[in-house]
Amino acid sequence: MAATNNLANCIDKFTTRLDKVIAQETVTGDLNMNQDLLGEMSGNGKIEIASLDMDGLATHKRGQGFTKGGISVTWQPYQLQYERDREFNIDVLDDDERAKIVSANAMGEFARTKVVPEVDAIRFAKLTQNAGTTVKKDLSGADETVAAVLEAEQCMEDHGVKLSQCLFYHSAATKKLLRLSNKYQLSAGESPNSNFGTYDEMKMIGVAGDRFYSAIKLLDGTTSGEEKGGYEKAEDGKALNFIVMAPEAAAAISKHEKLRYFSPDVNQDDDAHKWQYRLYHDLIVYLKKKGLIYAHVAVTA
């Protein structure tokens, strides 16, 4: 009796798992937009963002009532910018007895190694390009690095943001230099550990170097030389040392359109399992809150 390929029976479970991979693996997950705002998005990826402008306090004159002020609300339309996809065909013979393993692992790896890094890379590049303050300087010494971070902290506090509310995205090299500057003492029975998850109460988030650039180029997947798809550092792109920001300055939207599967019996193009993946997303940086983003960019890297 021929082996029964029951891959279709696990599709619902697996597509849910893929969504979770995207949400959990991105290091920019703190910027995900509130679900209530997603409800205001139209099917074609358009959204309108409210901007308020109002007068400040006036001197109260007793017996003369209240001083009238003005308040205006303007709506800024925004179109999601990044619409990406990819299709894979896995030959039925490659997925014969182990149908649920080959395809599931392939798409899981695709999400983890291709989708997630690209989503993060796009967001970091956009944060850098829209930062209220951008410093371009190489960091090589521990004291120099501490001073650079303190400047970013001062910027946040000057804008009225508590450091405990800030996100501190950093490269591995930046954290290494901060650890070298850290003076610590061991108590009896303790093991040496200079690792730390916060810096001056800011949440530290380490970012892999291959997705931490000031500018990237998206490869379209079809043009000669770009068939591999994905992204790469742009010609004018530089490595980022760190980004300090308040989460309220930006909102990440991942509108996961489709993850579709066609069994070999349905696939009319080939005797293969067909997977089609599509992702529509963007990062919105609020115009009035760009000052809450501080980017420190390397010069030579």
Side-chain angles (χ1 to χ4, degrees), residues 70-139:
I71 180 171
S72 62
V73 181
T74 57
W75 293 87
Q76 181 68 36
Y78 194 91
Q79 176 76 50
L80 299 192
Q81 184 176 353
Y82 304 102
E83 189 167 5
R84 307 281 279 169
D85 70 25
R86 188 58 102 176
E87 178 180 287
F88 296 101
N89 284 279
I90 301 175
D91 192 277
V92 68
L93 295 181
D94 293 330
D95 232 3
D96 196 0
E97 292 290 342
R98 301 179 178 86
K100 290 182 289 187
I101 296 177
V102 176
S103 286
N105 283 344
M107 294 307 295
E109 282 297 288
F110 176 66
R112 186 179 66 84
T113 64
K114 302 298 181 181
V115 177
V116 168
E118 179 178 306
V119 169
D120 278 336
I122 287 173
R123 292 175 180 178
F124 287 126
K126 200 157 188 179
L127 286 173
T128 304
Q129 294 158 14
N130 289 276
T133 302
T134 303
V135 176
K136 297 181 179 180
K137 187 178 182 181
D138 291 329
L139 296 175

Side-chain angles (χ1 to χ4, degrees), residues 238-253:
K238 299 293 182 181
L240 292 170
N241 295 319
F242 63 84
I243 292 177
V244 172
M245 64 172 294
E248 65 190 81
I253 304 175

Side-chain angles (χ1 to χ4, degrees), residues 57 194 208 260 265 283:
L57 287 170
S194 64
R260 302 198 300 178
D265 292 335
L283 180 82

Side-chain angles (χ1 to χ4, degrees), residues 187-199:
S187 300
E190 290 184 348
S191 300
N193 185 0
S194 64
N195 196 14
F196 40 84
T198 62
Y199 192 87

Side-chain angles (χ1 to χ4, degrees), residues 195-248:
N195 196 14
F196 40 84
T198 62
Y199 192 87
D200 290 344
E201 297 187 328
M202 296 185 296
K203 179 180 179 180
M204 298 187 70
I205 305 171
V207 185
D210 61 359
R211 67 181 82 173
F212 208 33
Y213 300 125
S214 62
I216 63 169
K217 176 184 177 181
L218 293 178
L219 307 180
D220 61 26
T222 56
T223 301
S224 177
E226 298 188 14
E227 293 89 350
K228 66 178 182 178
Y231 70 96
E232 60 187 25
K233 184 173 72 170
E235 290 186 6
D236 59 342
K238 299 293 182 181
L240 292 170
N241 295 319
F242 63 84
I243 292 177
V244 172
M245 64 172 294
E248 65 190 81

